[in-house]
């Protein structure tokens, strides 16, 4: 495959470099390219065509003649000039927005109106085309303002006046003196926002939007954020100020609404949506949109791509409207990029200076070319203001910055300069945290070893209200103490027997972890919807497994404790999981009285987690189940419907999917998708179906089990081992059971698994619940009463078998499955 990248900066060199790693790409042309794309990497070469509007037909001819399969325009100007349509016409996929969608960057007035229409958080503003009205507004407004030329002004069209007088002066320069030409015939006057800035680059196909690791740019020319605004003097990524919570808010309140809003307004956005944010004390607010990759943000961000990610395939998938068909992963590291600029930049500077390159001290350093050119004698000379971008990658931010600067020091040319303080905000924050920790202890801190106690404490605060919601008689439901307390006296038990159970969720968790990948970068929203649901569901599942085990003893679940172990404590995810546990507790009437969250970076990989739980219930001695001795030949077996696979058999499920070449994100083949819903949506995915939580049978069974004259003789929770292993657990020695498999509807999911995996019916019955999650044994004469009570409690239940005397005591088969052909 051949790729054409349009542009000549560090961004385009970084894109070419990343794409050159794709095994499917044989050639990358960069038009017009620079000294870095002109040799050095044999897959990459420069093409001497520019990118102004008149060059578009030449670029198209070149792409057609050279059988280019993907075009990526780098800079904003050709996008705003409508370059995408030229390639669309000849059928070559182009990763970049249409002329109309590029208006998000091309017109600040348009983008502000768009944000207002779609309720996207941004600074208060007014648009003006009339100088006098704008002037009047500045005179009367009671907050500090920022004045922006609405059109493209090469990143320089923003004034941040200190006071009203400066504001009026600036307004005159833009609107009357036209210092930015026509870009200033319309202005946006907006509220000044205070806070830290971050750049969030996100890829979109018009539907899905995937965040790349957040970055922080350094816009001013000199150290300490002094001097004029530039295109950017250095970046680092991920930016610690953008916590996972903030990134999640950004996804929900800005990125997805932007992509959805553009599509709904008839101008779907395909390409890199680069949003500049101010993290204010009222949350993240949009400062601006750009319709392309940020420079030098992308140099840092692409250096973090994992070796397994094929960036060409990602961009192609986005351009073809199927971004959800690929995955993009990043290293668990930091990157820092330092720009080396020409003396005088961003004002006037000289070009043609010969650059000398020394040997780089580490393979984790990459030098991207921006304003460079190959001269005839083969030397590389300067040709722009921002000349080179040097990126270092390391496991720590400090390490990444040190590497970048060690690379910078090997390069020189006359009058070159660079900022010495790239990453200073993050570094001072790290220093501040270290000082705080040092003042508390003299030795190593726990947090130095990767365990964050502060976060743990914060988590306790976050979950306290959730836990409180599960309060019931006997619990004080306050957590944070040493042990959970339950007052048995405040229940009505006279002579109680305590029943306890412990369990996990098993390999079902793999689905949750595969559907969404969590890492230090925050986490990527391959599917942000699922992120909300996977852990919540895991929490419900966890409670379900245990309370169902308790109810089969006839006992009422009283309290629950959970355990969450992870490599890297992620507040939002953990809170979601605990909310799910609390929900499960509410569904089963037990109090959540404690738990444990363990952050163990040495034991779990980043983003990995495991969960376990412990439940305690009580039952009157007279009502303890099973009453095995009462079970006899007149008894029937009643089955209660399951909600799906529950928590067992997932290893086999994964094998079957693998065999069929299906992924958790693929459309669910056993679900009938209604015409109005998108088959590619998360709700219609295999993973989502499989994650359906285990049914909790407590509330529908308890009233039946607590009747004075108890009719149910035994209960069996159909978990690992299916019918075949679980029913015999409550049978007396001299009885077997016969199940009639035609007595209930064999659910679609099992039908599909059976066929797809060519799984024998008996094997199905041994592995899965096959549609029956709970089994009751009772006298045949009581069956009708029990069934009608179950029905009025909302359950779908029926008689599915009977107890039969056992003839041969050596016969190991205790469950006979009849009419299995009905499952075919
Ligand atoms: P822009 O071209 O919109 O990114 O603006 C350039 C720079 O001006 C931004 O990176 C910010 O540093 C600053 N800026 C823009 N809008 C605001 C605002 N509403 N409040 C404070 N600073 C702003
Ligand atoms: N680094 C800022 C930009 O690309 O606009």
């Amino acid at each position: 495959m051949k790729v054409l990248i349009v542009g000549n900066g560090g961004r385009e060199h970084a894109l070419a470099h990343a794409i050159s790693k794709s095994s499917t790409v044989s050639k990358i042309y960069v038009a017009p390219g620079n000294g870095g794309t002109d040799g050095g990497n044999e897959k990459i070469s420069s093409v001497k065509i520019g990118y102004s509007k008149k060059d578009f037909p030449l670029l198209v001819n070149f792409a057609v003649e050279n059988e280019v399969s993907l075009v990526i325009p780098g800079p904003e100007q050709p996008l705003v000039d409508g370059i995408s349509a030229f390639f669309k016409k000849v059928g070559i996929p182009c990763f970049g927005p249409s002329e109309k969608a590029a208006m998000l960057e091309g017109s600040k007035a348009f983008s502000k109106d768009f944000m207002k229409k779609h309720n996207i958080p941004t600074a208060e503003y007014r648009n003006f085309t009339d100088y006098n009205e704008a002037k009047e507004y500045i005179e009367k407004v009671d907050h500090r303002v920022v004045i922006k030329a609405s059109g493209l002004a090469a990143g320089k069209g923003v004034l941040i006046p200190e006071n009203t007088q400066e504001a009026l002066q600036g307004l005159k320069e833009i609107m009357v003196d036209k210092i930015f030409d026509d870009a200033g015939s319309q202005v946006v006057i907006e509220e000044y926002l205070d806070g830290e800035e971050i750049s969030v680059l996100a890829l979109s196909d018009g539907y899905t939007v995937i965040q790349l690791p957040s970055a922080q740019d350094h816009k001013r020319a000199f150290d300490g954020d002094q001097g004029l605004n530039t295109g950017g003097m250095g970046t680092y990524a991920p930016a610690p100020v953008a916590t996972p919570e903030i990134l999640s808010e950004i996804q929900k309140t800005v990125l997805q609404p932007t992509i959805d809003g553009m599509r709904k307004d008839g101008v779907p956005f395909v390409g890199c949506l680069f949003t500049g944010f101010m993290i204010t004390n009222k949350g993240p607010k949009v400062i601006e949109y750009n319709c392309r990759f940020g420079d030098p943000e992308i140099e840092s961000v692409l250096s973090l791509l994992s070796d397994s990610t094929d960036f060409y395939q990602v961009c192609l998938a986005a351009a073809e409207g199927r971004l959800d068909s690929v995955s993009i992963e990043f290293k668990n590291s930091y990157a820092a990029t330092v720009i080396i600029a020409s003396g005088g930049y961003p004002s006037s500077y000289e070009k043609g200076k010969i650059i000398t390159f020394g040997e780089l001290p580490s393979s984790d350093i990459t030098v991207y070319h921006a304003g460079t050119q190959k001269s005839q004698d083969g030397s590389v000379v300067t040709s722009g203001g921002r000349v080179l971008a040097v990126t270092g990658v390391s496991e720590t931010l400090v390490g990444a910055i040190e590497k970048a600067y060690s690379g910078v020091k090997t390069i020189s040319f006359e009058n070159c300069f660079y900022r010495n303080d790239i990453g200073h905000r993050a570094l001072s924050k790290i220093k501040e945290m270290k000082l705080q920790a040092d003042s508390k202890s003299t030795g190593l801190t726990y947090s130095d070893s990767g365990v964050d106690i502060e976060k743990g404490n914060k988590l306790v605060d976050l979950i306290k209200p959730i836990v409180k919601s599960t309060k019931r008689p006997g619990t004080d439901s306050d957590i944070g103490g040493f042990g959970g307390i339950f007052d048995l006296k405040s229940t009505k038990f006279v002579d109680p027997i305590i029943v306890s159970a412990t369990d996990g969720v098993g390999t079902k968790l793999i689905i949750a972890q595969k559907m969404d990948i969590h890492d230090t970068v925050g986490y990527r929203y391959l599917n942000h919807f699922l992120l909300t649901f996977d852990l919540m569901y895991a929490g419900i599942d966890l409670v379900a497994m245990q309370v169902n085990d308790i109810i089969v003893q006839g006992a009422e679940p009283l309290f629950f404790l959970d355990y969450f172990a992870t490599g890297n404590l992620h507040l939002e995810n953990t809170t979601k999981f605990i909310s799910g546990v609390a929900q499960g507790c509410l569904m089963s009437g037990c109090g959540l009285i404690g738990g444990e969250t363990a952050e163990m970076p040495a034991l779990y990989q980043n983003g990995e987690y495991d969960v376990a739980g412990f439940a305690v219930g009580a039952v009157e001695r007279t009502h303890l189940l099973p009453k095995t001795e009462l079970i006899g030949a007149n008894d029937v077996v009643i089955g209660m419907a399951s909600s799906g696979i529950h928590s067992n058999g997932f290893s086999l499920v994964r094998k079957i999917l693998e065999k069929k070449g299906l992924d958790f994100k693929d459309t669910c083949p056993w679900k009938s998708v209604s015409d109005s819903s998108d088959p590619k949506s998360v709700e219609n995915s295999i993973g989502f179906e499989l994650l359906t939580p285990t049914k909790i049978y407590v509330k529908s069974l308890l009233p039946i089990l607590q009747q004075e004259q108890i009719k149910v003789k035994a209960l069996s929770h159909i978990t690992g081992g299916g019918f075949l292993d679980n029913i015999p657990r409550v049978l007396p020695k001299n009885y077997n059971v016969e199940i009639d498999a035609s007595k209930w509807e064999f659910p679609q999911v099992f039908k599909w698994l059976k066929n797809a995996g060519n799984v024998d019916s008996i094997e199905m019955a041994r592995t899965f619940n096959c549609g029956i999650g709970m089994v009751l044994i009772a006298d045949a004469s009581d069956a009708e009463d029990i069934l009608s009570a179950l029905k009025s409690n909302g359950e779908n239940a029926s008689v599915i078998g009977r107890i039969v005397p056992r003839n041969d005591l050596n016969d190991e088969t205790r469950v006979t499955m009849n009419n299995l052909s009905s499952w075919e």
Side-chain angles (χ1 to χ4, degrees):
M1 297 297 157
K2 295 174 187 167
V3 179
L4 172 62
I5 295 173
V6 178
N8 56 353
R11 166 180 44 215
E12 289 75 24
H13 188 200
L15 287 167
H17 184 80
I19 288 175
S20 73
K21 293 183 182 159
S22 165
S23 57
T24 43
V25 173
S26 57
K27 192 82 205 167
I28 300 145
Y29 303 105
V30 189
N34 58 32
T37 59
D38 225 0
N41 179 330
E42 58 187 28
K43 277 192 183 179
I44 305 174
S45 48
S46 301
V47 177
K48 295 297 160 212
I49 307 175
Y51 53 78
S52 62
K53 224 169 168 171
K54 66 171 183 4
D55 296 315
F56 294 172
L58 298 176
L59 289 169
V60 171
N61 279 345
F62 177 86
V64 171
E65 272 167 23
N66 290 280
E67 296 176 338
V68 160
S69 58
L70 175 69
V71 179
I72 307 179
E76 62 276 17
Q77 192 67 54
L79 289 164
V80 170
D81 288 343
I83 192 169
S84 301
F86 281 75
F87 293 102
K88 200 169 181 182
K89 239 181 227 158
V90 293
I92 300 178
C94 177
F95 180 75
S98 66
E99 178 176 353
K100 278 188 178 153
M103 285 294 276
L104 272 188
E105 174 167 3
S107 162
K108 290 195 193 289
F110 168 84
S111 76
K112 293 298 284 190
D113 288 345
F114 171 83
M115 285 186 264
K116 188 172 180 184
K117 177 176 173 196
H118 294 283
N119 253 328
I120 292 166
T122 185
E124 287 297 319
Y125 77 104
R126 290 268 307 272
N127 296 338
F128 295 95
T129 44
D130 184 289
Y131 169 67
N132 287 320
E133 279 176 24
K135 185 164 167 261
E136 222 170 273
Y137 178 72
I138 290 179
E139 281 163 347
K140 74 165 200 269
V141 73
D142 58 3
H143 55 69
R144 191 174 164 193
V145 295
V146 173
I147 307 173
K148 300 181 172 182
S150 178
L152 288 184
K156 294 178 190 136
V158 175
L159 301 183
I160 307 181
E162 293 285 337
N163 50 47
T164 309
Q165 202 185 346
E166 253 184 63
L168 291 171
Q169 175 65 25
L171 181 74
K172 183 169 164 291
E173 286 170 4
I174 297 179
M175 292 192 90
V176 180
D177 306 341
K178 298 261 178 189
I179 55 167
F180 303 124
D181 297 326
D182 273 353
S185 41
Q186 185 171 28
V187 295
V188 176
I189 300 180
E190 66 176 36
E191 163 201 17
Y192 173 84
L193 297 175
D194 206 13
E196 231 182 281
E197 272 182 77
I198 55 159
S199 304
V200 176
L201 311 189
L203 310 179
S204 185
D205 60 357
Y207 293 85
T208 304
V209 55
I210 299 180
Q211 285 186 35
L212 307 183
S214 66
Q216 189 166 59
D217 193 9
H218 299 67
K219 292 231 161 109
R220 302 293 187 119
F222 306 124
D223 287 5
D225 295 321
Q226 301 297 310
L228 293 175
N229 252 345
T230 69
M233 294 296 290
T235 50
Y236 60 91
V241 62
T243 60
E245 290 77 14
I246 289 175
L247 293 175
S248 152
E249 190 177 342
I250 282 174
Q251 181 79 13
K252 276 185 226 143
T253 63
V254 177
L255 300 185
Q256 197 66 55
T258 301
I259 292 302
D260 292 345
M262 289 296 278
R263 191 178 65 248
K264 283 175 191 152
D265 289 352
V267 276
F269 187 97
V270 175
C272 177
L273 177 68
F274 159 9
T275 314
F277 286 93
M278 191 71 86
I279 312 289
T280 74
N281 53 17
K282 288 192 190 130
K285 292 196 179 184
V286 177
I287 298 178
E288 61 159 351
Y289 288 117
N290 297 294
C291 62
R292 46 150 181 106
F293 293 102
D295 189 0
E297 282 88 343
I298 198 63
E299 285 92 319
S300 285
V301 168
L302 285 182
S303 303
L304 293 173
L305 267 186
S306 78
D307 294 337
S308 60
T309 296
D310 185 328
F311 195 61
Y312 164 73
Q313 293 294 350
V314 172
C315 294
L316 181 67
E320 292 180 340
R322 51 174 184 86
L323 188 53
D324 59 356
S325 70
V326 290
S327 71
I328 175 163
E329 290 179 14
F330 291 89
K331 289 179 192 150
N332 195 359
S333 303
Y334 288 88
T337 301
V338 177
I339 295 287
I340 310 180
S342 300
Y345 173 78
S347 305
S348 61
Y349 50 84
E350 289 176 21
K351 298 181 184 174
K353 307 287 183 194
I354 293 175
I355 308 170
T356 58
F357 295 91
E359 197 179 324
L360 293 174
S362 153
S363 60
D364 292 329
I365 304 169
T366 311
V367 177
Y368 299 109
H369 288 233
T372 73
Q373 229 172 12
K374 270 257 169 77
S375 62
Q376 297 206 322
D377 63 6
S379 61
V380 180
V381 298
T382 66
S383 63
R386 294 191 294 173
V387 178
L388 296 156
V390 184
T391 301
V393 174
S394 165
E395 279 172 12
T396 64
L397 181 57
V398 178
I401 294 169
E402 278 171 1
K403 278 198 178 139
Y405 279 110
S406 70
V408 166
K409 297 216 163 77
T410 63
I411 298 170
S412 74
F413 56 88
E414 196 187 328
N415 289 338
C416 69
F417 81 99
Y418 52 85
R419 275 182 66 159
N420 297 285
D421 63 348
I422 298 305
H424 68 98
R425 283 194 201 86
L427 291 182
S428 55
K429 204 159 279 161
I430 291 172
K431 219 186 235 163
E432 197 181 298
M433 277 161 57
K434 277 235 160 70
L435 279 177
Q436 274 174 5
D438 286 349
S439 69
K440 282 187 202 142
S441 85
T442 47
L444 266 179
T445 65
Y446 207 18
S447 142
D448 290 339
S449 64
V451 181
D452 195 339
I453 295 281
E454 278 300 310
K455 238 196 223 168
N457 292 340
K458 193 157 172 224
L459 179 73
V460 172
D461 287 340
L462 278 174
I463 61 177
K464 265 190 177 159
I466 306 174
V467 169
K468 259 215 161 78
S469 70
T470 68
K471 209 175 165 93
R472 55 152 286 151
T475 65
D476 68 356
S477 284
D478 233 350
I479 49 164
F482 286 103
I485 288 175
F486 188 89
D487 179 2
L488 207 51
K489 273 220 172 105
S490 57
T491 61
K492 295 195 190 92
F493 291 103
V494 181
D495 181 14
I497 285 181
I498 298 294
V499 179
S500 54
T502 183
D503 209 344
V505 173
T507 54
K508 193 172 180 180
L509 276 188
I510 294 179
I511 300 184
Q513 296 182 25
K514 279 256 165 76
M515 286 294 279
D516 189 85
I517 303 154
H518 315 263
D519 63 8
T520 47
V521 173
Y523 34 85
R524 266 149 282 125
Y525 285 84
L526 287 181
N527 255 320
H528 97 104
F529 183 74
L530 249 199
L531 188 75
T532 326
F533 282 89
D534 55 7
L535 277 158
M536 190 105 111
Y537 282 2
I540 300 177
D541 255 322
L542 183 66
V543 179
M545 293 312 288
Q546 271 123 123
V547 293
N548 286 343
D549 277 351
I550 283 185
I551 193 82
V552 298
Q553 314 276 292
E556 170 186 350
L558 299 176
F559 61 84
F560 192 86
L561 293 96
D562 68 270
Y563 173 75
F564 186 86
T566 176
N568 182 281
L569 185 58
H570 183 302
L571 285 185
E572 194 183 9
N573 287 351
T574 315
T575 311
K576 266 176 200 149
F577 163 72
I578 294 169
S579 308
V581 170
Q583 203 168 325
C585 285
L586 283 172
M587 288 158 85
S588 53
C590 64
L592 179 57
I593 65 167
E596 165 73 358
T597 307
E599 189 178 29
M600 298 184 286
L603 207 53
Y604 294 90
Q605 294 289 312
N606 229 323
E608 280 182 2
Y609 49 84
D610 195 11
V611 302
F614 176 71
V616 170
V619 53
E620 284 302 342
R621 189 175 302 270
T622 49
H623 281 57
L624 182 67
L625 294 180
K627 298 199 177 300
T628 307
E629 68 287 358
L630 298 183
I631 296 177
N634 266 336
D635 291 346
V636 293
V637 176
I638 294 173
M640 295 171 75
S642 63
S643 57
I645 300 192
H646 288 183
S647 289
N648 293 102
F650 275 89
S651 299
L652 181 56
V653 172
R654 275 184 290 122
K655 268 238 158 68
I656 295 174
L657 291 177
E658 217 170 87
K659 182 177 154 205
K660 284 276 156 191
L662 287 168
D663 189 81
F664 295 132
K665 289 186 215 90
D666 290 333
T667 306
C668 183
W670 62 83
K671 186 179 166 184
S672 50
V673 177
S674 74
D675 289 347
S676 58
S677 80
D678 174 6
K680 288 201 312 187
S681 70
V682 182
E683 297 92 319
N684 289 324
S685 66
I686 294 177
F688 189 76
E689 278 298 302
L690 293 178
L691 284 173
T692 308
T694 304
K695 190 166 175 100
I696 294 180
Y697 295 99
V698 172
K699 289 210 166 159
S700 54
L701 281 174
L702 255 193
I704 298 170
L705 302 179
Q706 289 178 338
Q707 278 170 356
E708 190 113 339
Q709 284 300 319
I710 174 169
K711 291 173 179 155
V712 176
K713 298 179 183 179
L715 287 162
S716 178
H717 183 196
I718 308 299
T719 57
F723 287 98
L724 302 190
D725 288 353
N726 284 295
I727 302 184
R729 289 162 81 167
V730 297
L731 288 184
K733 272 207 182 74
N734 45 342
Y735 286 95
N736 280 354
V737 64
E738 273 179 20
I739 299 287
D740 181 348
S742 68
K743 290 289 184 197
W744 73 95
E745 173 132 353
F746 189 55
Q748 288 300 330
V749 52
F750 296 112
K751 233 174 237 172
W752 186 87
L753 286 169
K754 184 173 170 4
N755 289 333
N758 192 21
V759 186
D760 184 71
S761 297
I762 285 291
E763 191 58 26
M764 289 296 290
R766 176 175 292 128
T767 313
F768 298 111
N769 66 57
C770 295
I772 300 291
M774 182 67 81
V775 152
L776 290 74
I777 298 176
D779 200 279
S781 60
D782 289 328
E784 211 157 296
D785 282 355
I786 294 174
L787 284 175
S788 80
L790 286 174
K791 199 172 255 168
S792 61
N793 293 344
E795 293 289 346
N796 178 7
S798 53
V799 172
I800 60 164
R802 59 193 191 106
I803 302 295
V804 292
R806 192 175 180 191
N807 302 322
D808 175 5
L809 282 186
N810 293 324
D811 184 358
E812 278 300 307
T813 316
R814 315 245 8 226
V815 181
T816 312
M817 301 288 301
N818 295 326
N819 287 330
L820 277 175
S821 57
S822 65
W823 287 3
E824 298 299 331

